[in-house]
Amino acid sequence: MLSLAKTKDREAMRAFIGNRKSLMSWKLDGLTVVLTYREGELAKAVTRGNGIVGDVITGNARVFDNIPLKIPYRGELILRGEAVISYPDFEKINESLGESAAQYKNPRNLCSGSVRQLNNEVTAKRHVRFYAFELVRADGVDFAQSRARQFSFLEDQGFEVVEHVVTTSENLDDTFAYFEQKIRTFEIPSDGLVCLYDDIAYGDSLGNT
């Protein structure tokens, strides 16, 4: 897993989109996790780690609040998503720790510690949630080269998918306005937005970062 190119310039983003249909979504601020399903069952969960090698956390992923342990699709399914803890749950957990050094600085740190717990009974009490943001592999399924169709497929399998808005260069300002308004009361930590082309082949042709 490599990094994202960054910009704070709206016009640079508009130029990036060009005349292409794109998907704008939250960049959730948690811990990236890769899930693998085989024969319809969760087989493995791994953290992003250094982008190449991560930690196996399968036992803990099984007790996330919203990860399906079984799905309809029977082939090998690999997807990426963000494990997060909401602000309300973060505040409740910190309150339960009392005024001590054991309190966590932010939801991201709490999520990282919760996901790596040696005892998944502790993880289960932390209300970790998983939001899918990328389908890596699902052999035999025709997505017509559309990321939006991949998201719909993942939703049909029982996953919560990161909220996304179909965006073009023409409605970019409206899309930004929507997210700017929603972030004020959004309960899930986010540190930006992600924009990707709906056309899978076109996006892949441009490189990795």
Side-chain angles (χ1 to χ4, degrees), residues 73 138-143:
Y73 178 71
D139 293 339
V141 182
D142 181 11
F143 298 109

Side-chain angles (χ1 to χ4, degrees), residues 75-148:
E76 183 174 65
L77 173 68
I78 303 175
L79 69 152
R80 295 175 180 144
E82 200 79 353
V84 296
I85 292 177
S86 71
Y87 286 116
D89 284 325
F90 165 72
E91 291 165 3
K92 289 177 184 176
I93 293 166
N94 254 358
E95 286 174 5
S96 72
L97 296 174
E99 297 294 330
S100 70
Q103 285 196 341
Y104 290 87
K105 291 183 178 180
N106 53 57
R108 188 182 190 280
N109 287 357
L110 174 59
C111 184
S112 179
S114 301
V115 164
R116 293 187 172 92
Q117 282 288 328
L118 297 178
N119 181 354
N120 73 358
E121 291 181 3
V122 175
T123 306
K125 296 176 181 177
R126 298 285 177 83
H127 298 293
V128 180
R129 300 187 69 84
F130 175 87
Y131 293 91
F133 61 68
E134 182 181 6
L135 174 59
V136 178
R137 179 176 182 177
D139 293 339
V141 182
D142 181 11
F143 298 109
Q145 292 298 329
S146 170
R147 295 284 183 194

Side-chain angles (χ1 to χ4, degrees), residues 14-167:
R14 201 184 313 275
F16 172 80
I17 292 174
N19 61 356
R20 298 276 176 174
K21 173 183 173 183
S22 300
L23 303 177
M24 193 79 71
S25 65
W26 297 111
K27 182 177 180 293
L28 299 180
D29 189 20
L31 190 72
T32 298
V33 173
V34 184
L35 303 180
T36 300
Y37 288 76
R38 298 189 183 96
E39 300 297 327
E41 295 188 3
L42 178 62
K44 192 174 186 181
V46 184
T47 64
R48 180 184 187 276
N50 63 8
I52 300 172
V53 178
D55 299 319
V56 177
I57 56 158
T58 312
N60 289 343
R62 291 183 186 279
V63 298
F64 287 3
D65 277 3
N66 64 337
I67 281 185
L69 299 182
K70 295 186 178 183
I71 59 174
Y73 178 71
R74 287 295 181 266
E76 183 174 65
L77 173 68
I78 303 175
L79 69 152
R80 295 175 180 144
E82 200 79 353
V84 296
I85 292 177
S86 71
Y87 286 116
D89 284 325
F90 165 72
E91 291 165 3
K92 289 177 184 176
I93 293 166
N94 254 358
E95 286 174 5
S96 72
L97 296 174
E99 297 294 330
S100 70
Q103 285 196 341
Y104 290 87
K105 291 183 178 180
N106 53 57
R108 188 182 190 280
N109 287 357
L110 174 59
C111 184
S112 179
S114 301
V115 164
R116 293 187 172 92
Q117 282 288 328
L118 297 178
N119 181 354
N120 73 358
E121 291 181 3
V122 175
T123 306
K125 296 176 181 177
R126 298 285 177 83
H127 298 293
V128 180
R129 300 187 69 84
F130 175 87
Y131 293 91
F133 61 68
E134 182 181 6
L135 174 59
V136 178
R137 179 176 182 177
D139 293 339
V141 182
D142 181 11
F143 298 109
Q145 292 298 329
S146 170
R147 295 284 183 194
R149 288 200 182 191
Q150 288 186 332
F151 282 161
S152 294
F153 170 79
L154 289 174
E155 289 176 330
D156 290 343
Q157 300 305 308
F159 297 100
E160 287 195 65
V161 173
V162 65
E163 181 183 14
H164 51 284
V165 176
V166 175
T167 305

